[in-house]
Amino acid sequence: MSETHAPTTAADTVKVFGHHINGCSVPSASGRLIDVHAPATGEVIARVADGGLQEVQQAVAAARTALTSPEWAVMSPRERGKLVIHLAELMERNLEELFHLETLNNGRPLRETRSQISRAPDLFRYNAALAIARRDDVIPVEGPYFTFTKRLPIGVVANISPFNHPLLIACRNIAPTLASGCTTVVKPSEYTPLTVLRLAEIFEAGGLPPGVLNVVTGYGATAGKALVENPGINKLVLTGGTESGRLAGAAAASNFAHQTLELGGKTPVLVFGDYDVDRAVDLALFGAFVGAGQTCVCAARHIVHRSIYAPFVEKLAARADALRVGDPFDPATQVGPVISEKQRQRVLRFVEAGKAEGARLVAGGVVPDDPALAGGFFVRPTVFADVTNQMQIAREEVFGPFTVVIPFDTEDEAIEIANDTPYGLGAAIRTNDITRALRFVDQIDAGIVWINDHHRIDPASPWGGVKLSGTGREYGEEAFNAYFTTKAVMVRTSDERFDWFADADAPQRLN
């Protein structure tokens, strides 16, 4: 596929995808299909099966069968690690196809897609290494006992992944699922199911046993609801909005499923007066507008010391206005579309809310006037200044190319503004004073903090939030270990006879 848009596709030639269950493409029982659109043009690029209870039950049953199948269950950790490394290599061989399919499906500029998905194979290698290096514990205890633990795969994992990073977020959960010996049912966003469906095909063609990785497509209110409520799942992993996480988490909790939830955010970025303004603006553009701002750690609130506030606002507005919005396959494009017309209207409603609240719109806030972009879901990168933290635009997650700037005078005021939010996923600090930076790391309510950077991840570094931003961690040993249950084993090593009732007068150990 060339780095231009594919031609408009006639409706009768649009490819139809079924669910991927137990190694087969399965149509929905209802026969209904969901149109998948290219956000850059609005065109229908595919149709996927609209799943519900029946398909979810079928997929969970396949995953449960695979969990104990000889092909999967008896595989040693070393063998499984080798297989997962092989899958990483297969993914790497198919990256070019996945780059283009992801860009077509979710509208991120191809440069961003390449930079992001090219790292996904390392998620599998990292978790494979943890599987190979895994060691259980021997526990010293009082008395004649040898005590040890055995870690066992937790079971069937429900993986609900979002539209903003469709393949990466799915992979960050598929990788530890496979490396741990679990099985999974993935429910991708109805907006962006294509790369996950393709990955399942690639992996099974490369030797992953059928039923280990299943994909059910559909809407959250039907397929997603049926999945989180299914008593056959043992763990829920979800990335999405806070309200979606609350509903899904409550449903999964009714079956006592373990949970890892990465939810909403309203990331504070503290910019101190000793930091170079131009460098701060560079990072602000990256943090706020990469992925068209559709990230849970979007640099949503820039809390800037008053000594550099005016030049920061001026330069950020000018740079935001200069960003090239357009076709994600065009190498010159810097910001692509948002995922849908519904999402664009949400962004524009926040623009109107900001104006009504008295904030100063200094950049963007409009739909581009380029006729070539008329069919897509584009909105100009938007910056509001003179914002207070009580305004709606400073408190609610927009999920678009939208950021606000808030002035502060003292360190105490900065931390108070930063923490005055129900969210706590990411935070960032811009300062040349490392002592100050580390002091703020301890004070800020966030699961991830970047000092003089933004949005960086690594397979070994845990990722997750506090407060309404979720529970549990992804990436790192913390995530891998959460795919196991722990069984404790105590072995009596004494040959002396033990008769509790016959030796009632002798001191005995009860517990």
Side-chain angles (χ1 to χ4, degrees):
M1 186 183 295
S2 63
E3 294 190 5
T4 58
H5 269 315
T8 302
T9 310
D12 59 356
T13 63
V14 170
K15 187 173 180 179
V16 175
F17 294 84
H19 312 286
H20 187 91
I21 300 174
N22 204 30
C24 300
S25 179
V26 176
S28 283
S30 67
R32 291 191 299 268
L33 297 172
I34 298 172
D35 287 346
V36 179
H37 296 266
T41 64
E43 297 170 356
V44 176
I45 55 173
R47 292 189 173 91
V48 297
D50 182 3
L53 178 61
Q54 182 172 329
E55 295 81 7
V56 165
Q57 289 176 334
Q58 187 178 352
V60 172
R64 294 219 68 83
T65 299
L67 188 67
T68 56
S69 69
E71 287 182 289
W72 187 245
V74 302
M75 193 179 290
S76 71
R78 190 168 296 274
E79 289 174 315
R80 189 175 291 112
K82 288 180 180 179
L83 174 59
V84 174
I85 290 171
H86 172 61
L87 298 179
E89 293 168 350
L90 284 176
M91 187 179 186
E92 238 164 23
R93 291 176 207 162
N94 289 274
L95 279 178
E96 200 63 32
E97 176 190 2
L98 294 171
F99 291 153
H100 284 80
L101 188 59
E102 183 101 330
T103 291
L104 180 65
N105 196 179
N106 89 328
R108 293 189 75 164
L110 187 58
R111 177 190 175 198
E112 288 187 19
T113 303
R114 286 185 188 279
S115 297
Q116 184 179 76
I117 296 181
S118 62
R119 301 203 64 204
D122 284 343
L123 290 170
F124 292 91
R125 293 191 179 96
Y126 174 78
N127 282 278
L130 291 178
I132 292 170
R134 196 186 96 198
R135 299 173 67 180
D136 292 322
D137 296 323
V138 174
I139 305 173
V141 298
E142 183 181 357
Y145 299 98
F146 174 68
T147 303
F148 62 95
T149 61
K150 291 181 68 69
R151 286 192 296 169
L152 304 172
I154 203 167
V156 176
V157 180
N159 180 352
I160 298 183
S161 58
F163 66 76
N164 56 337
H165 311 296
L167 192 56
L168 180 72
I169 289 180
C171 284
R172 78 184 185 191
N173 301 316
I174 293 171
T177 294
L178 302 184
S180 65
C182 294
T183 59
T184 187
V185 179
V186 181
K187 207 298 283 183
S189 167
E190 64 271 18
Y191 291 111
T192 54
L194 300 184
T195 44
V196 175
L197 285 167
R198 179 66 185 122
L199 188 70
E201 294 176 346
I202 292 168
F203 280 1
E204 287 192 2
L208 187 67
V212 173
L213 171 57
N214 306 276
V215 182
V216 174
T217 54
Y219 295 103
T222 49
K225 182 175 184 291
L227 182 57
V228 300
E229 291 177 347
N230 192 291
I233 67 166
N234 304 104
K235 180 178 174 67
L236 168 65
V237 181
L238 178 145
T239 300
T242 295
E243 188 56 33
S244 296
R246 181 180 283 114
L247 294 173
S254 67
N255 292 311
F256 299 101
H258 296 244
Q259 298 183 25
T260 300
L261 308 176
E262 193 234 277
L263 307 177
K266 195 69 175 177
T267 300
V269 179
L270 306 179
V271 185
F272 290 92
D274 66 331
Y275 198 73
D276 181 77
V277 173
D278 291 317
R279 293 178 64 188
V281 169
D282 291 342
L283 287 170
L285 291 167
F286 173 65
F289 303 132
V290 69
Q294 297 172 119
T295 70
C296 296
V297 293
C298 168
R301 294 182 296 148
H302 286 87
I303 303 165
V304 181
H305 192 267
R306 202 174 297 276
S307 64
I308 58 169
Y309 177 78
F312 179 90
V313 169
E314 181 182 356
K315 292 184 178 189
L316 178 58
R319 291 286 307 278
D321 276 336
L323 290 175
R324 295 185 295 274
V325 176
D327 180 349
F329 285 100
D330 184 343
T333 291
Q334 295 173 310
V335 179
V338 294
I339 193 65
S340 65
E341 179 59 24
K342 178 181 177 182
Q343 192 62 27
R344 176 164 66 177
Q345 290 304 318
R346 175 179 172 84
V347 176
L348 295 176
R349 284 196 299 273
F350 274 98
V351 171
E352 295 308 310
K355 293 177 182 177
E357 289 178 303
R360 179 164 54 102
L361 179 64
V362 295
V366 296
V367 173
D369 57 8
D370 183 349
L373 306 181
F377 311 128
F378 295 92
V379 60
R380 289 289 318 173
T382 300
V383 181
F384 273 96
D386 302 346
V387 174
T388 69
N389 207 50
Q390 286 67 49
M391 292 180 180
Q392 181 185 6
I393 58 173
R395 303 201 69 79
E396 297 185 25
E397 188 174 31
V398 178
F399 226 67
F402 189 108
T403 193
V404 306
V405 191
I406 303 170
F408 77 90
D409 293 297
T410 67
E411 288 193 3
D412 287 345
E413 183 185 8
I415 198 68
E416 181 180 354
I417 294 171
N419 288 340
D420 181 19
T421 173
Y423 301 108
L425 184 57
I429 301 165
R430 318 276 192 247
T431 180
N432 293 321
D433 185 341
I434 190 62
T435 302
R436 169 195 283 149
L438 294 177
R439 186 168 66 249
F440 268 74
V441 165
D442 290 340
Q443 295 175 342
I444 204 159
D445 295 336
I448 313 149
V449 181
W450 295 280
I451 298 174
N452 299 338
D453 212 326
H454 206 96
H455 211 307
R456 305 303 182 184
I457 61 174
D458 188 90
S461 181
W463 177 284
V466 299
K467 300 195 288 192
L468 295 190
S469 288
T471 182
R473 293 295 180 266
E474 295 173 298
Y475 298 119
E477 290 186 54
E478 291 83 353
F480 179 74
N481 291 336
Y483 285 79
F484 293 91
T485 58
T486 301
K487 181 178 292 187
V489 182
M490 293 187 74
V491 181
R492 184 176 176 87
T493 58
S494 172
D495 289 333
E496 291 184 16
R497 183 179 174 185
F498 170 75
D499 188 336
W500 172 266
F501 293 99
D503 300 329
D505 295 332
Q508 293 285 358
R509 175 174 176 160
L510 177 63
N511 296 319

